Amino acid sequence: EAEVAQSPRYKITEKSQAVAFWCDPISGHATLYWYRQILGQGPELLVQFQDESVVDDSQLPKDRFSAERLKGVDSTLKIQPAELGDSAMYLCASSRQGARTETQYFGPGTRLLVL
Amino acid sequence: KQEVTQIPAALSVPEGENLVLNCSFTDSAIYNLQWFRQDPGKGLTSLLLIQSSQREQTSGRLNASLDKSSGRSTLYIAASQPGDSATYLCAVSGERGSTLGRLYFGRGTQLTVWP
């Protein structure tokens, strides 16, 4: 069964350092999402891609966060510089076309700890 | 902004009990509602998706209902098992404008089923 892949699974970094997370969606899925989940809370959408284009990045802290999906397949989320409050689980999800009737499939997540 | 609330925050029951998890949302203009399961340190697995025009969905021992006009959903788990222990998240998908297709999550109900 196809799955969404994410790496690394865990990342520990010091504040002010740069970190990057990678996501490979299910093959053929045109829509890719990055979510942030703070411990004890539900995930919140950071950015949504349709193919290589950003369709929603209204909740992305653009002063320090960036995301790209250059060839419309895999994606990278970067934080520079990292802050203590960025400690969270970063989840990637994909769906076939981003249609409203479709289920999003989630990867295992990257757990970030900023010291 | 859409707010999703889940009650209770935590639930501990003996094996075999039937149980109900509750979800409420403030804006009834939703396109669909999903229930997800999240195991500790893992990603999300979709359990059930209910379109706004539907009243309920069933999968095995799980049954989810939706009352869109009152902004409520319930997840019913029959004959609970220790393997059901996880956090259950409710999410609604926006219906219009900038919220179209975007998922809004509750904080989840942490379920423990003991033998």
Side-chain angles (χ1 to χ4, degrees):
Chain A
E1 181 176 309
E3 296 180 340
V4 176
Q6 290 188 247
S7 67
R9 294 293 309 278
Y10 304 93
K11 180 69 177 179
I12 300 175
T13 190
E14 295 183 345
K15 62 180 181 179
S16 80
Q17 296 298 303
V19 292
F21 313 131
W22 178 79
C23 172
D24 191 13
I26 293 172
S27 179
H29 280 199
T31 309
L32 184 148
Y33 312 80
W34 282 101
Y35 290 86
R36 177 171 61 184
Q37 184 178 24
I38 296 170
L39 190 64
Q41 297 185 20
E44 289 188 310
L45 181 69
L46 291 174
V47 61
Q48 177 181 342
F49 289 92
Q50 183 68 26
D51 298 310
E52 67 274 10
S53 300
V54 173
V55 296
D56 186 351
D57 63 355
S58 57
Q59 300 302 308
L60 188 70
K62 298 182 186 63
D63 57 336
R64 297 185 301 107
F65 286 64
S66 64
E68 61 183 15
R69 192 184 184 199
L70 294 177
K71 296 182 179 179
V73 181
D74 58 337
S75 175
T76 302
L77 179 69
K78 297 179 180 177
I79 309 175
Q80 182 173 16
E83 296 181 352
L84 297 178
D86 296 331
S87 295
M89 173 81 89
Y90 290 82
L91 294 163
C92 179
S94 70
S95 64
R96 283 181 300 172
Q97 288 295 332
R100 291 165 292 177
T101 57
E102 292 187 357
T103 298
Q104 295 180 25
Y105 296 87
F106 283 78
T110 295
R111 183 169 294 280
L112 173 67
L113 178 61
V114 182
L115 303 176
Chain B
K1 179 185 174 183
Q2 177 75 270
E3 298 287 342
V4 180
T5 303
Q6 291 187 245
I7 295 173
L11 185 61
S12 181
V13 300
E15 181 176 8
E17 277 206 3
N18 302 323
L19 49 97
V20 175
L21 308 182
N22 297 290
C23 172
S24 62
F25 45 95
T26 54
D27 185 352
S28 61
I30 65 166
Y31 198 82
N32 59 44
L33 181 145
Q34 294 185 66
W35 284 93
F36 290 87
R37 169 183 173 142
Q38 186 173 33
D39 292 288
K42 301 292 181 62
L44 280 65
T45 300
S46 180
L47 298 173
L48 291 165
L49 184 152
I50 309 176
Q51 301 298 337
S52 61
S53 59
Q54 298 176 318
R55 299 287 291 183
E56 66 177 331
Q57 280 285 348
T58 298
S59 176
R61 294 182 294 108
L62 304 180
N63 176 275
S65 66
L66 173 63
D67 185 340
K68 181 181 173 182
S69 60
S70 68
R72 295 183 181 183
S73 175
T74 60
L75 178 66
Y76 177 83
I77 303 177
S80 58
Q81 303 171 358
D84 295 331
S85 298
T87 296
Y88 291 80
L89 293 157
C90 170
V92 296
S93 173
E95 182 183 73
R96 55 186 175 219
S98 62
T99 71
L100 187 64
R102 182 173 174 172
L103 288 181
Y104 295 85
F105 284 85
R107 292 189 172 211
T109 293
Q110 186 174 352
L111 174 64
T112 302
V113 182
W114 40 277

